[in-house]
Amino acid sequence: MSPLSIVGDVQVGFPAVRTGYGQQTYGNTQPQTQRATWVRIEPDGSVTAFAGKVEYGQNIRTGLAIEVADELRVPLAAVTVILGDTDRVPWDMGTFGSQSTARVGWQLRKACATAREALLSMAADRLDLPAADLEARDGRVVSKSDPSRGVGYADLLGEQELEIEIAERPTVTPPSEFTQMGRQHLIRVDGIDRVTGRAVYSQDVLPEGVLYAAVIRPPAYGARARSVDFAAAERMPGVVRVVHEGSLIAVLAEDDEAAALGARVATIDWELTPGQPGRFEMPSHLVESGTEPFTMQERGDLGEGFRGAAHVLESSYYIPYIAPAPMEPRAAVALWEGDHLTVWAGTQRPFGIRQELSAAFDMPEERVRVIAPEIGGGFGAKSPYGLATEAARLAKVAGRPVRVAYSRADEMAWSNFRPAALVKIRSGFGADGRLTAWDSVAYHSGERVMIGRRGADTPYDAPHVLSVVYRSDSPLPSGSYRSLGAAVNHFAREVHMDEIAEAIGVDPVELRLRNLSEPRFRRVLEATAEAFGWTGPRLANGHGAGIALGIDVGSYVATAAEVSVQEKEVRVHRVSAALDCGLVVNPEGAANQMEGSIVMGLGGALFEAADFQDGRLLTTTFARYRVPRIVDAPKIDVRFVGDDDAPSTGAGEPGIVPIAAAISGAVFGATGQRHRELPIQRYL
Amino acid sequence: MLTVTVNGVPREVVRGDRNLLSFLRYDLGLTGSKYGCGEGLCGACTVLVDGQPLRACMTTTGAVAGGEVTTIEGVATGETLEDLHPVQRAFVEEQAMQCGYCIPGFVMGTIGLLNREPHPSAGQIREALAEHMCRCGTYQRIEKAVQRAAGGEA
Ligand code: FES
Ligand code: FES
């Protein structure tokens, strides 16, 4: 127990849960407990903060620690942030949609502001000084008029055990008084653990007596085992047991190699599902299987818009599936202790996985603990985490802890891809390039309709607009990926804007400005053009330049890129980007996220594509699935142009939204060839 | 009896055909070396053998018997910046990481590079680390960290 705990309601997450998106995408996870401790001041005056988010590279631990330290007026080093352990942290829907700083950070700030006010009033009594004369600083409350008079938080709280409620409207610190938020921080709070190898990821969890499982996965999507012959596997040294329960087929062994070898010698008769569309059929398959048309945006009357147009332009854009391919393949470890289950799983939704486990074993959630350790990248893909249940089932059968880990090939095939999409755009515009009509129809593969809908509305001022999104069949498992479908929709729209600019001979920046009244869009575009030194798509040295803008998770973004093209290789030399995400809590962390999004988006723009035929994934290794390497990385400069008094919006996803179109535009500048299909290098 | 010295401690090689990465991670519990691909294509498993970087996933304990293996745990285990190896410190100072999963491999690859070439050019850095993968895309920071560690301009 701590001297001071600040408690409050858990957050029902992501606002979209109420629209049904969260329910549809992530299951109907609901908080089991409505109340939780958010912040504790410990007996030694240090501070512990709790959040249901997980750390998968977005540097949330540092971001939250900075907010807590600033709001509570303690040094950053005094703050510990506990994340992603269902037994310890407030319920949370999951870490996605760049919501961590925006929502959880705000809740923690309110909790800390409440605590600070309570400490100030306790100190006023203790020191017998007027509250107006007191201020909190460096873990102490001190008198402003006589700084020699003061008391540390630990002394002030002493032995008591106080629990207070987060105030409705505590005095949170205004930006002008920040001492830590918005400043450059030289190190991240978990940086040293990461360079010393101490940081524990789910691949690294090895409890005493753990058995290594090799789970045998189908050779193709839709394949089912007719029969399994384990005779040879059972004779392998080190193999402890074999399991075939429904679709779960596994070899358990004392070490990883014995398990893998056992799995290799198992003889399985697979029943395949014939007739699955392959990669070359995808563009037509998307259109033919399109269903559930959903109107994203509708205003005016298209007929009238096109009648009033001096020019009409129509183009289609195709974006193949791409793989998230995080560096850490998924792993899960399950441990049964009596009727209590603990599972370590590097998932973005530990509470959702807890619920799945409780359902799978028909036991109350209180007896299930899910711990999300450090996660080696996820980019949205690690919300589903079937390995958790597999590990728990196998551990139950074996009576020992069991570790299930994906190989690289498993991670490539049995994750979820960013949906493939086809977008058709027809625009009408005047001789000056001002849009009169915008007609966009998009087909995105996959069940989760919200993925394709994200970012499908145009920010440009056309008076007559219709944007419709269809859900199409998905031969590959598809799901969340950084920015969902926004990067895809933005690619189509922004390349189209470049085509309009070219058609009437206007500069792409100028063309966009003529069609943009929203000042936040204009500001990011102008800031990017200025930082980049924008002079148009064709550069003197034979290089090309491209620029694009967008919005995602409430943040406005623009990006410009310079490329050169040699035969089949595009080299991206430099990228400038401007982001307006409101108040930036941790500029270094946000810049890092922007840089990462840009590099990731570069891969999808130039060379990433998941290839498949007859239900088989062909790109299961890094030898066949090219991801950006250090030699591909451009020089990137990022500037933040938002207002400090605007609420923080996401920084982890917007960077990927405009980059592919900027690169396409730059390749056009260099070669005169317009690229409406990704990845560009396949079409050079 | 075959032995391999890991971070200065001689270890018995029970099975010479044991994969070196599995041996380090699962038999010795040195989980700082990461599994990323198991086929020599990502660099997450990089260790030093007699000072030179090697993909642990692509070799066996038998193949390195008699040698000196250094893993990230053998570089420096300090709690503070001052207690770290200069390469580790440079990665922290440049915030050259996101999820961090690739970072032990990059640190080992960088130490190997600086062993061979204490003042690498930008081109040499890129070439030496070209086979390492950082899916989080922190390459620009990694390059700066290597330059900083090499005493160059960061
Ligand atoms: S795990 Fe060894 S190179 Fe990828
Ligand atoms: S920091 Fe995540 S893979 Fe490099």
Side-chain angles (χ1 to χ4, degrees):
Chain A
M1 201 52 198
S2 305
L4 182 60
S5 304
I6 300 92
V7 302
D9 287 345
V10 303
Q11 296 187 311
V12 184
F14 217 176
V17 65
R18 280 175 242 119
T19 67
Y21 168 46
Q23 303 263 336
Q24 182 212 351
T25 306
Y26 303 107
N28 58 352
T29 330
Q30 287 300 330
Q32 288 297 299
T33 38
Q34 305 293 333
R35 318 261 310 133
T37 299
W38 287 86
V39 173
R40 271 189 348 215
I41 298 182
E42 308 293 355
D44 63 356
S46 68
V47 178
T48 313
F50 302 87
K53 298 296 176 192
V54 301
E55 174 68 62
Y56 65 118
Q58 78 285 39
N59 205 4
I60 185 64
R61 191 179 286 112
T62 300
L64 295 178
I66 289 170
E67 295 190 270
V68 166
D70 207 346
E71 209 54 79
L72 209 40
R73 315 282 194 264
V74 296
L76 188 54
V79 180
T80 305
V81 178
I82 308 289
L83 300 169
D85 176 342
T86 60
D87 269 14
R88 300 187 67 191
V89 302
W91 181 91
D92 189 274
M93 175 143 210
T95 308
F96 34 67
S98 300
Q99 295 290 306
S100 299
T101 306
R103 297 179 57 81
V104 172
W106 182 246
Q107 178 78 337
L108 286 171
R109 281 182 64 190
K110 280 170 63 185
C112 292
T114 305
R116 174 167 38 80
E117 288 179 337
L119 290 161
L120 282 167
S121 86
M122 281 182 230
D125 289 349
R126 170 80 68 90
L127 300 171
D128 199 17
L129 285 170
D133 179 45
L134 295 176
E135 65 178 354
R137 210 197 302 149
D138 247 347
R140 298 169 56 77
V141 180
V142 292
S143 157
K144 291 186 214 165
S145 53
D146 176 6
S148 70
R149 296 191 62 190
V151 54
Y153 294 169
D155 285 344
L156 187 55
L157 292 165
E159 305 275 280
Q160 59 187 329
E161 290 183 2
L162 260 183
E163 194 175 278
I164 56 177
E165 183 78 21
I166 298 179
E168 195 106 332
R169 276 191 204 79
T171 338
V172 292
T173 310
S176 57
E177 288 169 31
F178 288 169
T179 57
Q180 315 220 28
M181 281 183 262
R183 298 293 160 89
Q184 295 297 339
H185 286 268
L186 295 181
I187 92 170
R188 41 184 285 173
V189 296
D190 46 14
I192 292 177
D193 286 345
R194 278 163 160 62
V195 297
T196 51
R198 273 201 297 269
V200 172
Y201 299 79
S202 37
Q203 284 270 350
D204 305 332
V205 174
L206 302 168
E208 189 66 35
V210 71
L211 278 176
Y212 296 77
V215 173
I216 301 176
R217 301 183 193 278
Y221 302 111
R224 207 180 53 85
R226 271 196 212 97
S227 66
V228 181
D229 178 357
F230 272 136
E234 284 180 297
R235 287 195 300 272
M236 298 281 309
V239 169
V240 173
R241 98 181 269 158
V242 295
V243 178
H244 181 195
E245 263 185 21
S247 61
L248 181 58
I249 306 169
V251 177
L252 302 178
E254 295 291 352
D255 74 69
D256 58 318
E257 289 181 284
L261 220 49
R264 213 166 304 148
V265 299
T267 311
I268 301 178
D269 180 19
W270 295 103
E271 182 183 329
L272 301 175
T273 306
Q276 300 185 50
R279 64 193 189 282
F280 300 119
E281 288 94 70
M282 254 339 261
S284 55
H285 185 66
L286 284 166
V287 176
E288 283 154 18
S289 67
T291 168
E292 273 181 64
F294 182 83
T295 304
M296 286 296 299
Q297 202 178 13
E298 186 170 22
R299 63 173 178 251
D301 166 30
L302 276 185
E304 193 186 322
F306 282 111
R307 277 192 299 278
H311 307 275
V312 173
L313 189 72
E314 187 168 356
S315 300
S316 296
Y317 307 86
Y318 174 66
I319 301 94
Y321 288 103
I322 59 176
M327 277 300 291
E328 183 196 20
R330 288 167 172 81
V333 175
L335 169 70
W336 288 91
E337 291 160 305
D339 61 1
H340 194 278
L341 171 64
T342 303
V343 175
W344 289 264
T347 174
Q348 291 167 234
R349 28 187 301 277
F351 286 91
I353 299 301
R354 180 178 71 170
Q355 190 201 34
E356 285 172 27
L357 289 165
S358 112
F361 296 98
D362 195 17
M363 59 198 272
E365 290 192 18
E366 297 77 68
R367 298 215 310 263
V368 183
R369 177 180 190 183
V370 175
I371 302 171
E374 302 306 317
I375 302 177
F379 316 111
K382 284 181 178 168
S383 287
Y385 217 89
L387 284 79
T389 309
E390 290 173 355
R393 283 170 68 186
L394 294 169
K396 190 155 202 179
V397 173
R400 281 171 64 176
V402 167
R403 171 182 190 268
V404 178
Y406 270 178
S407 65
R408 171 51 53 190
D410 290 337
E411 181 63 42
M412 297 306 280
W414 302 104
S415 176
N416 29 289
F417 297 85
R418 183 173 79 182
L422 188 113
V423 184
K424 297 180 179 182
I425 297 174
R426 188 163 170 257
S427 62
F429 44 94
D432 59 356
R434 281 183 217 279
L435 290 165
T436 57
W438 184 268
D439 180 10
S440 149
V441 183
Y443 302 85
H444 290 258
S445 62
E447 292 297 309
R448 296 177 183 161
V449 294
M450 283 310 295
I451 292 179
R453 293 177 191 168
R454 184 141 135 199
D457 28 15
T458 176
Y460 296 107
D461 299 334
H464 306 285
V465 175
L466 181 64
S467 168
V468 175
V469 177
Y470 285 81
R471 171 175 73 79
S472 299
D473 175 58
S474 184
L476 299 190
S478 68
S480 300
Y481 179 100
R482 201 170 210 159
S483 94
L484 305 185
V488 171
N489 290 320
H490 276 67
F491 170 72
R493 187 191 71 226
E494 291 296 305
V495 173
H496 195 88
M497 292 305 282
D498 279 353
E499 291 179 67
I500 296 176
E502 186 66 20
I504 57 159
V506 169
D507 180 82
V509 173
E510 172 58 26
L511 185 272
R512 285 174 171 82
L513 290 172
R514 282 184 195 172
N515 286 288
L516 278 175
S517 49
E518 166 61 52
R520 292 178 79 179
F521 278 120
R522 296 180 68 92
R523 181 164 63 181
V524 287
L525 182 62
E526 285 167 337
T528 299
E530 186 201 302
F532 183 78
W534 178 262
T535 54
R538 293 169 193 83
L539 301 179
N541 51 4
H543 291 194
I547 194 163
L549 60 79
I551 181 170
D552 195 43
V553 289
S555 300
Y556 297 75
V557 62
T559 301
E562 175 178 340
V563 311
S564 62
V565 181
Q566 277 205 339
E567 294 179 20
K568 295 270 176 207
E569 275 294 300
V570 176
R571 168 154 304 281
V572 182
H573 297 272
R574 62 190 185 100
V575 171
S576 298
L579 180 71
D580 168 1
C581 58
L583 166 71
V584 185
V585 172
N586 177 9
E588 200 61 29
N592 204 335
Q593 282 298 311
M594 281 291 289
E595 293 159 19
S597 297
I598 288 166
V599 171
M600 192 166 203
L602 178 153
L606 291 180
F607 35 72
E608 288 183 40
D611 291 332
F612 55 100
Q613 198 60 48
D614 301 321
R616 284 173 206 265
L617 185 72
L618 307 174
T619 44
T620 54
T621 110
F622 289 137
R624 294 210 190 150
Y625 191 85
R626 176 173 170 191
V627 296
R629 304 280 179 155
I630 199 166
V631 291
D632 303 309
K635 189 176 167 334
I636 301 171
D637 82 84
V638 175
R639 51 178 71 184
F640 298 102
V641 298
D643 298 322
D644 278 353
D645 48 14
S648 299
T649 48
E653 300 179 274
I656 200 171
V657 162
I659 181 69
I663 290 175
S664 170
V667 171
F668 176 81
T671 65
Q673 216 187 333
R674 181 70 67 195
H675 288 272
R676 302 179 187 88
E677 283 168 88
L678 297 180
I680 289 169
Q681 286 192 176
R682 286 208 176 161
Y683 302 94
L684 278 175
Chain B
M1 185 187 79
L2 287 179
T3 60
V4 44
T5 305
V6 180
N7 300 334
V9 182
R11 304 283 189 165
E12 187 183 343
V13 173
V14 181
R15 279 172 27 213
D17 64 350
R18 178 80 167 133
N19 178 278
L20 179 60
L21 181 62
S22 292
F23 174 72
L24 295 170
R25 288 177 50 81
Y26 307 126
D27 301 350
L28 303 185
L30 297 171
T31 53
S33 307
K34 302 299 183 201
Y35 167 87
C37 69
E39 37 187 19
L41 298 170
C42 79
C45 63
T46 304
V47 298
L48 299 181
V49 176
D50 301 326
Q52 287 309 307
L54 190 83
R55 304 287 186 256
C57 73
M58 295 298 283
T59 191
T60 60
T61 48
V64 297
E68 295 259 358
V69 176
T70 310
T71 71
I72 188 78
E73 290 89 347
V75 173
T77 51
E79 299 282 340
T80 63
L81 267 186
E82 293 67 45
D83 296 334
L84 299 179
H85 184 283
V87 171
Q88 292 171 311
R89 199 182 312 144
F91 272 74
V92 175
E93 286 170 341
E94 292 296 337
Q95 299 203 18
M97 66 187 78
Q98 284 184 21
C99 77
Y101 196 78
C102 66
I103 294 301
F106 270 102
V107 168
M108 301 314 285
T110 302
I111 294 175
L113 166 66
L114 298 182
N115 284 348
R116 296 192 298 279
E117 179 51 66
H119 301 290
S121 65
Q124 285 172 316
I125 294 172
R126 287 187 157 218
E127 197 189 307
L129 300 178
E131 308 274 290
H132 285 260
M133 190 183 140
C134 172
R135 185 55 163 165
C136 297
T138 62
Y139 297 121
Q140 173 163 302
R141 290 164 185 273
I142 288 172
E143 259 183 272
K144 283 195 194 150
V146 178
Q147 280 161 356
R148 181 191 276 256
E153 208 181 300

